[in-house]
Amino acid sequence: MTVRLEQLRRCHIAVDLGAARTRVYVKGCGLVVDEPSVAAVNTRSSALIAVGAFAEQMTGRTPDYIRVVRPVSGGTVVDIEMAQRMLRHLLGDKLRRQLRRKPRLRAAACTPHDSDPLAQRATVETLIGLGARRVELVDTLIAAAIGCGLPVEKPSATMIMVCGAATTQVAVLSLGSIVTAERMPVGGNAIDHAVLQYLRQNHQLMMPSQSVRPLHLALRGNGLTPEGPASTEIHGRDVVTGLARSVQVDTAAVRQAIHTPLTTVLDGLGKVLRDCPPDLVADLAECGIMMVGGSALLPGLDQMLRNATGMPVHIAERPDVCSVLGLGAMLEGRIQPMTLQPIRH
């Protein structure tokens, strides 16, 4: 991080291309874009119809000639051209004109930990297509840790868990660098799928995919905890008849369905702790785990980690935007790294 900070301070724009949402931070302006990473395309004319929240509302509701696409999957750009078109419309004409005035536009972007060179190249190509002359790549784990206020530059251990839509990343940081990290292919989408499968198999009920996350948040704090109500009413479509109906669902069973795919996350967390030096693990017992990312708000996830590790677990104040705010802090020069000078005899 020490070497990269000087280059990051020269950047004008920071982009976090996530599987669920795209966020853009402009130096001097702050967070200017926070929209879903979705675009709707007319397949007959190849024209872009909608992007962001409006395009997400079209999911599952479009005629045959309109296709709703997600150009980012698992933190990796899978369709460079569509990602560029989506970003252009999300930025808007006024902001694009403002950025074009920069003689040598520099951009910074988040990349998942241990991403392959092809995925990194796709992110760079996407931003170059928007006019960037140079693109700096920053590990999502470091950006998120800075964004939620962790003292990553100090010689003490801090543990960050980035809960994304497609992946979950865990790392132990010290002296501004990653000591040990792991990335698991389980995120909010896998948990949503587990709830949908449970309702289909046990209650013959189909739910719109867009209703699963509001269901999680509605149950948070009183539904998916042992102290909450024993059952809750869920509306959906009957698998056999196709008619709308509502059922009473046991919240303990929903809690179990959510926890099943999270065993992979616990395995990855255990591997990170086993690979971590003992002195740093002792620090973690005091400061605990910081959870960031949109899926960090899933009900019961923080309590599950407390029970599994015995360590304190905290959720960031604004967990969904920590990564891009961390990039913004590096762009604005608000981060002062610990400088380690060689000893001269």
Side-chain angles (χ1 to χ4, degrees), residues 3-334:
V3 179
R4 193 70 60 87
L5 269 178
E6 281 301 321
Q7 299 170 346
L8 287 171
R9 289 194 185 113
R10 300 173 188 168
C11 294
H12 307 97
I13 184 173
V15 180
D16 180 15
L17 283 168
R21 299 185 74 87
T22 294
R23 300 176 177 93
V24 179
Y25 186 103
V26 175
K27 193 173 185 178
C29 299
L31 187 64
V32 296
V33 173
D34 185 3
E35 292 281 342
S37 304
V38 189
V41 185
N42 187 328
T43 56
R44 295 174 181 171
S45 61
S46 299
L48 200 62
I49 297 175
V51 295
F54 187 41
E56 190 176 45
Q57 293 174 4
M58 295 183 179
T59 305
R61 298 180 172 90
T62 59
D64 293 339
Y65 65 92
I66 296 178
R67 187 166 59 98
V68 178
V69 296
R70 292 182 177 270
V72 185
S73 177
T76 303
V77 178
V78 294
D79 189 339
I80 296 176
E81 181 185 357
M82 188 56 64
Q84 290 174 351
R85 296 174 68 184
M86 180 186 72
L87 273 173
R88 286 192 194 101
H89 283 78
L90 288 177
L91 288 172
D93 295 335
K94 181 179 178 182
L95 188 55
R96 289 212 320 272
R97 283 196 300 269
Q98 178 183 339
L99 293 174
R100 276 201 294 266
R101 295 194 192 105
K102 308 289 184 184
R104 289 186 60 84
L105 180 65
R106 290 171 176 253
C110 289
T111 56
H113 176 70
D114 204 19
S115 58
D116 58 88
L118 190 62
Q120 295 179 8
R121 185 64 186 172
T123 303
V124 171
E125 290 289 340
T126 301
L127 296 181
I128 287 178
L130 292 176
R133 297 293 185 90
R134 185 184 176 96
V135 179
E136 300 291 341
L137 299 180
V138 180
D139 198 302
T140 302
L141 291 164
I142 294 178
I146 293 173
C148 62
L150 290 179
V152 294
E153 72 280 0
K154 295 184 179 179
S156 59
T158 54
M159 193 170 198
I160 185 88
M161 174 180 281
V162 180
C163 307
T167 59
T168 300
Q169 305 172 66
V170 186
V172 175
L173 307 174
S174 180
L175 289 173
S177 299
I178 295 174
V179 178
T180 176
E182 192 73 20
R183 183 171 61 154
M184 291 77 70
V186 174
N189 293 343
I191 297 169
D192 293 350
H193 181 71
V195 174
L196 291 173
Q197 287 296 106
Y198 167 77
L199 293 174
R200 187 184 181 102
Q201 293 173 1
N202 295 275
H203 297 278
Q204 289 73 49
L205 193 74
M206 293 181 65
M207 280 185 65
S209 58
Q210 296 178 358
S211 302
V212 181
R213 189 53 56 89
L215 169 65
H216 291 168
L217 299 180
L219 293 174
R220 176 174 172 78
N222 60 359
L224 294 183
T225 56
E227 296 79 17
S231 63
T232 185
E233 188 176 18
I234 296 178
H235 305 278
R237 191 184 76 181
D238 191 280
V239 173
V240 180
T241 64
L243 300 176
R245 70 182 179 96
S246 59
V247 295
Q248 288 290 330
V249 177
D250 183 15
T251 53
V254 177
R255 185 165 64 243
Q256 183 61 36
I258 286 178
H259 287 182
T260 300
L262 291 177
T263 53
T264 306
V265 176
L266 294 179
D267 291 343
L269 182 61
K271 185 177 185 303
V272 169
L273 291 174
R274 287 194 300 271
D275 295 343
C276 188
D279 292 340
L280 295 182
V281 175
D283 292 342
L284 295 176
E286 298 180 6
C287 61
I289 305 170
M290 178 65 75
M291 294 175 60
V292 302
S295 299
L297 297 174
L298 286 173
L301 178 56
D302 51 347
Q303 187 60 45
M304 179 182 178
L305 293 176
R306 288 191 193 98
N307 297 337
T309 61
M311 295 191 300
V313 179
H314 315 281
I315 300 177
E317 185 177 352
R318 298 179 65 189
D320 51 340
V321 295
C322 282
S323 297
V324 73
L325 291 182
L327 277 180
M330 288 187 271
L331 262 63
E332 303 281 4
R334 295 197 295 266

